[in-house]
Amino acid sequence: MYPTPAQPHPAQPRSAQPNRAARDREIESLAEFDEVVAAQGTLAQYRVQAVDLTDRTDVLLTTDTTGAVFLGCPMTAEAAARVGASGALVFPPVPDLPFDPYRAFAYTPAELFDSLGEGYAATPDARSYAWFQRTKADGDIFASMLRSIHDDAVSDALDEILAGARVVGVMGGHAMARGTEEYAGAARLGRDLARAGFTVATGGGPGAMEAANLGAYAAPFDDGMLEEACRLLAKAPSFRPSVTDWARAAFEVRERWPDGGRSVGIPTWFYGHEPPNAFAAHIAKYFANATREDGLLARSNAGVVFLPGAAGTVQEIFDNATPNYYESRGEPTPMVLVNRAHWTERLPAWPLLTALARERSMASRIALVDRIDQASAAVKRLSA
């Protein structure tokens, strides 16, 4: 029922990573550390990120570390003194933080929801938000620096995960309740996109975001699995009033159907009242919402689907339209708006979007569909 403690992440194959020359100088696990030392006999100019080296003192005392950088790597005082004297830079771990600012990998649901059995307030996710609330109010430059380092590390990890992937973003509000037809439709959309070979990326929160991540999780199973999962989740329709009950229902689904399909969630502690959902395999959670918003849209290289939403979704539509208009990120990417009445009458974003697109190359990359079950086909058509 509850998430198991997060396990160390295996190193990604180097061939899957961007900027290979730079990545080949990064060490992100103890296994990689041992491999480099055995194969190269030196750590000179390497960047070692959040690797516990307390049991590698002998190696650190005898290996060349000239120009190396150690980011948040626990090590003995003797080892730290020696590598520092050799010209390496050592950024020691920061004690008493609920997060690691130097982390090398994206979060997992199990990691963020660890200790859920004691209630959501005990989890690293809730404790990180509480730390954020305390420190952003006092204007401490050290806390601000830690948040910036953390967010940059998360971006680096996200780029490694998505290298070579065809990413479709699914945008929609947090208010969409489990147990509704709208939620089930968003879940089917995520499943269809994942089965078509796309990597689904969402804002990582509840509602429409959770539904799309759930759909991608359900992609390897038969169609009945998603229907049953939606029924199980409906017993906790919203993260209000209890995030604990809401998250427990998700982990019950994961326990019943382990090893689901992979997708990405990109949430933020800026909106700390919205917990991350447990169906994204990789969770890139940020402190800075602006970094998170722009990063999510910029990485959706195969298009974005905009489900009915309010102010936040409207902002995302035009945040995405601007680089498509100027082609500042290259060729315009597909934009599919779902629900004609919503986007032409309630919040008439579609007429403005079409006016912007007129006589520009982005005009052939936008679409408005009536029903959510038409969105996946529209993405495929506009991506062709």
Side-chain angles (χ1 to χ4, degrees), residues 260-286:
R262 295 181 175 272
S263 64
V264 172
I266 308 179
T268 174
W269 280 295
F270 183 82
Y271 298 126
H273 61 286
E274 293 183 17
N277 77 72
F279 292 109
H282 308 286
I283 302 176
K285 191 154 191 179
Y286 289 86

Side-chain angles (χ1 to χ4, degrees), residues 42-236:
T42 180
L43 291 167
Q45 306 302 324
Y46 277 87
R47 280 78 176 101
V48 190
Q49 188 174 352
V51 179
D52 189 342
L53 299 176
T54 51
D55 292 333
R56 297 296 186 272
T57 299
D58 289 347
V59 174
L60 294 172
L61 292 178
T62 57
T63 304
D64 182 12
T65 56
T66 304
V69 180
F70 295 85
L71 299 167
C73 299
M75 62 180 71
T76 64
E78 182 184 14
R82 191 270 170 181
V83 299
S86 73
L89 289 176
V90 180
F91 295 81
V94 182
D96 303 321
L97 284 180
F99 64 94
D100 182 359
Y102 302 109
R103 61 179 303 110
F105 301 97
Y107 293 96
T108 66
E111 183 179 4
L112 286 176
F113 285 102
D114 190 27
S115 302
L116 183 63
E118 303 169 31
Y120 174 66
T123 65
D125 185 64
R127 292 189 292 112
S128 295
Y129 175 60
W131 176 89
F132 180 38
Q133 289 295 97
R134 290 195 308 271
T135 58
K136 75 175 184 179
D138 61 23
D140 181 4
I141 186 63
F142 181 58
S144 177
M145 181 190 73
L146 292 175
R147 293 194 296 269
S148 297
I149 292 172
H150 169 274
D151 285 2
D152 191 64
V154 166
S155 290
D156 183 69
L158 188 58
D159 285 339
E160 294 184 18
I161 291 166
L162 296 179
R166 299 176 67 212
V167 182
V168 173
V170 178
M171 309 297 160
H174 67 265
M176 184 183 287
R178 295 167 171 175
T180 63
E181 178 52 36
E182 290 79 13
Y183 183 95
R188 290 192 295 270
L189 170 63
R191 184 181 64 187
D192 291 347
L193 291 169
R195 287 178 174 176
F198 295 108
T199 296
V200 173
T202 78
M209 297 171 280
E210 180 189 58
N213 287 128
L214 167 64
Y217 187 87
F221 303 100
D222 63 46
D223 290 357
M225 175 271 177
L226 183 56
E227 295 177 9
E228 181 63 18
C230 286
R231 282 195 291 270
L232 292 173
L233 292 170
K235 67 183 181 181

Side-chain angles (χ1 to χ4, degrees), residues 12-28 32 35 40 45-47 156 159-160 163:
Q12 286 191 330
R14 289 297 180 183
S15 59
Q17 298 178 356
N19 303 318
R20 183 168 180 175
R23 298 296 184 199
D24 281 345
R25 287 289 175 182
E26 291 183 6
I27 297 174
E28 299 174 333
E32 272 193 297
E35 179 184 338
Q40 305 297 330
Q45 306 302 324
Y46 277 87
R47 280 78 176 101
D156 183 69
D159 285 339
E160 294 184 18

